[in-house]
Amino acid sequence: DADVTQTPRNRITKTGKRIMLECSQTKGHDRMYWYRQDPGLGLRLIYYSFDVKDINKGEISDGYSVSRQAQAKFSLSLESAIPNQTALYFCATSDLRAGSYNEQFFGPGTRLTVL
Amino acid sequence: KQEVTQIPAALSVPEGENLVLNCSFTDSAIYNLQWFRQDPGKGLTSLLLIQSSQREQTSGRLNASLDKSSGRSTLYIAASQPGDSATYLCAVENSGYALNFGKGTSLLVTP
């Protein structure tokens, strides 16, 4: 079974709709991240969380919100989706336990299309 | 802001060749550097992580080097195989949390 899972894997929605992307992990990591990938732009950080009570904005947080429901679950919401939020979204996890050096592990991605 | 550049953007080699992928970064105060592999429609697979105090890391046919002073890292792939065809991403961590990614090198290994 995959250590980092994302649901849904693909989603097509319309402008103005609220969308939630979910991420779960079985690695026991404290840190979780949401990135988006756009052709020609690389991956950019949206939000990150160091534990359940610690959530922080990343480089491109406008138009997004997150919820850390438990150590293993981190959800990304688009309150009112717009076409330029069409992208591939990745969840990642890491920790700083001895020997880990904050190595990040990624989920399979969610391809979101906003029409 | 950390800028990460990967050259070349695309590379095609015949099977069996040794090859080098390049990554450069503008801020040398890094915590670590990771190389990832991304297959079409798939997630990122971590290949190697080099700590800021290290010069290189090896895993099988892969060897990654790091020269912080010059802001460079290379990923060496020995005896390339068609299964190595993928996009390779370099990512640098400065701040203890966020990775700054390059745009990747798309590698095609032809039989």
Side-chain angles (χ1 to χ4, degrees):
Chain A
D1 288 340
D3 294 318
V4 185
T5 57
Q6 294 182 233
T7 56
R9 294 295 312 282
N10 288 282
R11 182 71 182 269
I12 300 173
T13 191
K14 294 182 179 181
T15 297
K17 294 291 188 181
R18 185 179 188 275
I19 296 296
M20 178 179 287
L21 309 183
E22 298 186 335
C23 176
S24 294
Q25 53 111 349
T26 59
K27 298 183 78 67
H29 289 170
D30 290 326
R31 299 181 166 199
M32 298 187 74
Y33 311 80
W34 278 104
Y35 292 88
R36 66 177 276 177
Q37 184 178 35
D38 298 273
L41 292 178
L43 279 87
R44 294 176 292 167
L45 182 67
I46 306 172
Y47 269 95
Y48 63 100
S49 170
F50 284 174
D51 64 38
V52 174
K53 296 181 180 179
D54 180 46
I55 293 178
N56 305 278
K57 293 182 178 180
E59 178 187 356
I60 54 164
S61 60
D62 287 349
Y64 300 95
S65 63
V66 292
S67 173
R68 185 82 184 266
Q69 301 93 325
Q71 186 206 33
K73 296 183 182 294
F74 193 35
S75 300
L76 177 72
S77 294
L78 288 67
E79 298 301 327
S80 180
I82 56 178
N84 76 2
Q85 291 177 314
T86 293
L88 189 53
Y89 289 84
F90 287 105
C91 174
T93 73
S94 72
D95 70 23
L96 278 177
R97 285 173 288 183
S100 297
Y101 302 104
N102 209 38
E103 183 175 7
Q104 293 194 20
F105 296 89
F106 282 72
T110 294
R111 184 167 297 281
L112 177 66
T113 303
V114 183
L115 302 175
Chain B
K1 182 182 182 295
Q2 176 75 273
E3 300 289 340
V4 182
T5 303
Q6 291 187 245
I7 295 174
L11 181 63
S12 181
V13 300
E15 180 177 6
E17 275 203 5
N18 302 325
L19 60 100
V20 174
L21 308 181
N22 297 291
C23 173
S24 62
F25 47 94
T26 54
D27 183 351
S28 62
I30 68 171
Y31 180 70
N32 66 39
L33 183 146
Q34 277 187 258
W35 281 95
F36 294 89
R37 169 187 173 136
Q38 184 175 21
D39 294 281
K42 301 283 182 69
L44 279 66
T45 300
S46 180
L47 297 173
L48 290 164
L49 179 145
I50 309 177
Q51 303 161 47
S52 62
S53 59
Q54 295 177 322
R55 296 283 293 184
E56 65 178 320
Q57 280 282 1
T58 297
S59 176
R61 294 182 294 108
L62 305 179
N63 176 276
S65 68
L66 174 64
D67 184 342
K68 278 202 315 179
S69 62
S70 66
R72 295 180 185 276
S73 176
T74 62
L75 179 66
Y76 175 83
I77 303 177
S80 58
Q81 305 170 357
D84 294 331
S85 298
T87 296
Y88 290 80
L89 298 169
C90 169
V92 175
E93 182 177 333
N94 283 94
S95 51
Y97 63 94
L99 289 173
N100 292 285
F101 282 84
K103 296 179 182 179
T105 294
S106 179
L107 173 65
L108 176 65
V109 182
T110 56

